[in-house]
Amino acid sequence: MPAKKLPNTDEDRIKALQIIIDQDELTGSENAILSISELHEYRNLLLTFEGTCFCFKQAMEDETKADKAYVDLFKTAQLYISHFIQVLNLSIIRNEIKIDTLVYYGLENSNEFTVPDLSSEEAVLEWGVRLINGEAERASRGGVPIYNPAISKVKVHYDLFKDSLHSLKIYRQNTMRTQESLSEMREKIDRIIWNTWTKLEFKYWGLPPEERNQKFKDYGIQFHFRAGEQLSVFG
């Protein structure tokens, strides 16, 4: 006996539910499978599901764009922060800036003027703030500002990276929230399709095979078939 085969894509779910609604409307109230309230509910569900599918697709596209922007801005912020630290270290080596000013940047314990590990977003966020605040502190004490890159340029790229990280988190949350809604609706639609198809099987089981199979086809029922098996739900 063949088993019913539920849709496995959102497009197929939409198509299957639309067929059920359309066919039940064509059948008329006397032979309808669905009640008036069910028909109304399923129409609304179908519209909501189509809208949610669109929103999820849009959310995924927005997240992908935001992720690409984040990666580019992360690398740029890394570059400017690293470059600023290297210029600061070289200025100290050339005796243009006193070594004790490293404390303003949190670099007093750095080993042989090395650049800190900037491989994580947390590190870039931390060192960006340290450099911005440190350069402001040194300048307030009469220090000559560092140029190429100036701290203002470092701050621009730091702020752009920080904003992109915040935006990416929002896009990811939106994608997750939409995906959760979509998952819940998929389960509900699958139950509706399965239950409606089951009602059809019981309603038309007594018809001649050819007529019964046509009814199943009209309502879009899909079946798994084994080799040599015929479309006969009840044997």
Side-chain angles (χ1 to χ4, degrees), residues 172-234:
R172 283 175 176 169
Q173 289 171 355
N174 187 41
T175 300
M176 289 178 61
R177 183 170 58 251
T178 309
Q179 188 173 30
E180 288 173 359
S181 298
L182 202 57
S183 295
E184 292 175 1
M185 295 182 72
R186 284 169 181 156
E187 292 180 5
K188 185 172 184 179
I189 288 176
D190 284 349
R191 285 197 303 270
I192 287 172
I193 294 171
W194 184 269
N195 292 338
T196 304
W197 285 354
T198 300
K199 289 178 183 179
L200 279 162
E201 290 176 336
F202 280 100
K203 183 177 180 64
Y204 297 117
W205 74 271
L207 293 177
E210 185 175 342
E211 187 176 349
R212 180 181 66 210
N213 294 343
Q214 184 59 50
K215 290 289 186 182
F216 294 161
K217 183 178 179 181
D218 291 342
Y219 274 88
I221 299 182
Q222 300 293 319
F223 294 94
H224 288 292
F225 290 98
R226 292 183 287 270
E229 190 171 34
Q230 300 298 314
L231 177 56
S232 179
V233 178
F234 294 95

Side-chain angles (χ1 to χ4, degrees), residues 96 120-121 206 223:
E96 297 170 355
S120 68
E121 61 186 32
F223 294 94

Side-chain angles (χ1 to χ4, degrees), residues 117-135:
D117 180 10
L118 299 171
S119 59
S120 68
E121 61 186 32
E122 291 81 8
V124 171
L125 290 171
E126 177 185 350
W127 284 103
V129 170
R130 287 190 181 191
L131 298 186
I132 293 167
N133 293 340
E135 183 71 351

Side-chain angles (χ1 to χ4, degrees), residues 84-110 112-114 135 138 144 146:
F84 186 91
I85 294 173
Q86 292 176 60
V87 172
L88 174 62
N89 287 337
L90 286 172
S91 298
I92 291 172
I93 291 172
R94 293 194 295 260
N95 293 317
E96 297 170 355
I97 295 177
K98 293 181 180 180
I99 193 169
D100 56 8
T101 60
L102 285 176
V103 70
Y104 301 146
Y105 307 92
L107 287 164
E108 66 274 13
N109 295 321
S110 61
E112 298 181 353
F113 300 108
T114 57
E135 183 71 351
R138 191 177 65 81
V144 177
I146 290 175

